[in-house]
Amino acid sequence: MIAIKTTEIEKTAAASVSLPLTDVKIWGRTGAGRSWLGSLVASLPLVLAPLTCASVFITLRAYSGSFSLFAAAVAEEGFWPVYQQHGPQLTAKGAVAVVCYVGLQALLFRFLPGELRTGQYTPAGHLLTYRMNGLSAWTITHLLYFALSWAGVLDPAFIARNWSGLIAAMNIAGLAVSVFAFVKAYVSPTHPDDRKFSGSSVYDFFMGIELNPRLGEMFDLKLFSNGRPGMILWTLINFSNLAYQHQTLGHVEPSLALVTVLQVMYVVDFFVNESWYLGTIDIAHDHYGFYLGWGCFCFLPIMYTVQAQYLGMHPPAAPASYTYLAVVFAAGLVGYAMFRSVNDQKSKARLLGHGCCIWGKPAQYIVAPYRTTDGRAHKSLLLCSGWWGWSRHANYVGDLLLSYSFCALVRSTNAVVWTYAVWMTLCLVHRCMRDEKRLSVKYGAAWTEYCQRVPWRFVPGVW
């Protein structure tokens, strides 16, 4: 049995503090009280997200990556005829591949050994245990991919050549897991006291009802969906497009190679530091519904790999400027280094607590008490040293610099290439505002004090 590591801050959080119940509001996703209209508007991505994915796929496949050509075809023929002709089509090969892939990831998630770590307290006071075996799963999956390709059993460009059928099957898988989570929340919830009902079934299906739905004691649907089908498939898609470009051109373009290097670094970093992810808004706050279920099964593989897809199908006509590629790649490395440094400081602070030093100085904290709905009082430490004293979301700044570098390496002015960067900008700005609202409710006066000491959200002097 692997021992569960408990950080200094987790020990501190487990200690009771003197805090009147009336002094603390209970945080968490908005429950009952949302207007019907507000819930409907917030649920529009149920339609818009699949339409966006389909439009990007069709634009890349049938209109040379040009949104203007796609828009002209839709204006002339209508969206549905264009979709019927060029949209993703379910195939037996694609369906079998997705079933085998998701099944493999489920087996690896369930049975691979790994260090046990605890997440954060839920609003109802649950402290859940997770097995950190994502890096092993990523490694085994890719070794299997390379071994089967080397043996001639699998075409290394299989994903790129069968992308239409795979997307259609992933859509069905994402929808199926979303429906399953919605029904499970009513008939067999894992933690009934952490459920949230808005009064709108449409909104609840989209945003989720259960916070941490599980199958058995350890199979956490949220961590599985967020970390496995999408993130591992991301790099497989890149490698498949590398193989496809080599098969069709006889060589690999530097742009695609550099995009792949940066994205592999990003994904591997995610799994190396998987325990850090337990404290993010995805795991600690967002409930599990269509937004996370379908989003991780379908939206992530389609939208986060646009650069590799575009370069695999539409390699640059003109030779690359190595100076340009070097500068943009270096900017991506800077973004990654900043992203990693910011997160490392927070992880170090969680591990060492008051004994932590950052940038050669003792770390500065604000003690933030909070209470869970079971009546127990706890406290956290809000770090306000290093990057976390520079801005409240410096990690997002590094993430955005890396995201724009992905897109700039493609060397194209086609808007479709930049959809990932635009999405990340909107996503991280919105996530910043949601996260700060949650933390304001959770920590109250302590969060207000933190915002006064660290007034800037992203970049000092800008925002």
Side-chain angles (χ1 to χ4, degrees):
M1 185 68 175
I2 303 174
I4 302 175
K5 284 194 174 180
T6 305
T7 67
E8 191 65 33
I9 287 183
E10 285 165 349
K11 292 177 183 177
T12 303
S16 177
V17 296
S18 176
L19 189 68
L21 182 60
T22 54
D23 287 351
V24 181
K25 296 179 181 178
I26 300 302
W27 76 101
R29 201 205 88 186
T30 304
R34 293 186 65 92
S35 69
W36 180 87
L37 181 59
S39 296
L40 181 62
V41 171
S43 303
L44 283 177
L46 271 172
V47 176
L48 296 180
L51 284 177
T52 299
C53 288
S55 299
V56 167
F57 172 84
I58 294 170
T59 299
L60 286 169
R61 288 288 164 144
Y63 297 99
S64 303
S66 171
F67 274 140
S68 59
L69 293 177
F70 168 70
V74 170
E76 181 179 349
E77 305 173 36
F79 178 81
W80 184 241
V82 171
Y83 180 88
Q84 286 183 307
Q85 184 177 358
H86 302 294
Q89 302 293 323
L90 183 64
T91 63
K93 185 183 293 186
V96 170
V98 167
V99 169
C100 291
Y101 171 72
V102 175
L104 172 65
Q105 296 310 316
L107 290 173
L108 295 176
F109 185 79
R110 172 63 181 83
F111 294 108
L112 277 180
E115 186 178 37
L116 299 182
R117 299 298 293 267
T118 54
Q120 295 187 347
Y121 280 100
T122 71
H126 300 288
L127 188 62
L128 304 182
T129 301
Y130 299 83
R131 181 176 287 108
M132 301 290 96
N133 58 15
L135 182 61
S136 299
W138 183 91
T139 302
I140 290 173
T141 301
H142 285 72
L143 287 176
L144 183 61
Y145 166 83
F146 290 127
L148 292 176
S149 299
W150 182 267
V153 176
L154 176 70
D155 178 1
F158 176 86
I159 297 175
R161 293 185 182 279
N162 295 276
W163 192 225
S164 176
L166 292 171
I167 284 182
M170 291 297 282
N171 261 289
I172 295 173
L175 181 60
V177 76
S178 302
V179 171
F180 174 79
F182 183 76
V183 174
K184 179 184 179 301
Y186 283 95
V187 302
S188 183
T190 305
H191 301 110
D193 46 359
D194 266 324
R195 292 180 299 174
K196 285 292 179 72
F197 297 92
S198 68
S200 166
S201 295
V202 175
Y203 181 77
D204 288 343
F205 176 74
F206 174 65
M207 285 303 298
I209 297 172
E210 281 199 85
L211 180 61
N212 301 108
R214 291 192 163 195
L215 303 177
E217 183 180 352
M218 292 293 294
F219 197 102
D220 189 272
L221 282 176
K222 187 192 292 186
L223 181 62
F224 173 73
S225 297
N226 286 11
R228 304 311 163 80
M231 291 297 288
I232 292 179
L233 186 57
W234 184 348
T235 45
L236 287 177
I237 292 168
N238 280 50
F239 287 128
S240 183
N241 277 283
L242 281 170
Y244 180 75
Q245 189 177 84
H246 189 271
Q247 290 174 2
T248 54
L249 295 183
H251 66 276
V252 172
E253 287 290 328
S255 297
L256 180 54
L258 293 177
V259 166
T260 301
V261 169
L262 286 181
Q263 294 187 347
V264 167
M265 287 174 54
Y266 187 77
V267 172
V268 170
D269 177 90
F270 173 88
F271 289 116
V272 169
N273 300 282
E274 191 176 14
S275 60
W276 166 83
Y277 189 61
L278 301 180
T280 64
I281 192 172
D282 289 344
I283 297 295
H285 176 67
D286 286 338
H287 288 233
Y288 187 79
F290 182 89
Y291 169 71
L292 287 178
W294 180 87
C296 294
F297 272 79
C298 195
F299 189 87
L300 190 159
I302 295 174
M303 300 300 294
Y304 287 28
T305 63
V306 165
Q307 298 82 41
Q309 293 179 59
Y310 182 90
L311 288 168
M313 288 182 282
H314 311 292
S321 165
Y322 290 106
T323 301
Y324 172 84
L325 293 179
V327 170
V328 175
F329 184 73
L333 292 178
V334 169
Y336 168 76
M338 182 178 180
F339 173 80
R340 174 61 10 238
S341 176
V342 177
N343 291 332
D344 278 344
Q345 287 183 1
K346 193 169 188 177
S347 297
K348 184 179 179 182
R350 285 176 175 170
L351 182 64
L352 300 177
H354 288 287
C356 176
C357 284
I358 293 177
W359 290 351
K361 299 178 181 179
Q364 299 179 27
Y365 299 93
I366 296 172
V367 178
Y370 66 98
R371 188 182 292 274
T372 48
T373 57
D374 57 4
R376 288 185 295 170
H378 315 271
K379 60 181 176 181
S380 291
L381 301 178
L382 301 180
L383 177 63
C384 44
S385 288
W387 288 114
W388 298 95
W390 183 75
S391 80
R392 303 200 292 267
H393 301 277
N395 54 329
Y396 290 174
V397 178
D399 210 343
L400 287 175
L401 180 57
L402 184 57
S403 299
Y404 279 88
S405 298
F406 293 164
C407 302
L409 281 171
V410 180
R411 298 184 302 122
S412 173
T413 57
N414 279 343
V416 70
V417 170
W418 297 88
T419 51
Y420 175 73
V422 172
W423 159 252
M424 288 299 292
T425 302
L426 296 175
C427 177
L428 292 180
V429 168
H430 183 244
R431 178 170 294 199
C432 166
M433 298 172 69
R434 285 197 303 132
D435 200 28
E436 295 204 350
K437 180 179 179 180
R438 174 180 68 96
L439 294 172
S440 176
V441 174
K442 182 177 181 179
Y443 297 129
W447 180 254
T448 301
E449 180 186 350
Y450 176 70
C451 292
Q452 291 172 348
R453 292 179 63 172
V454 187
W456 300 103
R457 285 187 170 104
F458 276 32
V459 178
V462 179
W463 188 56

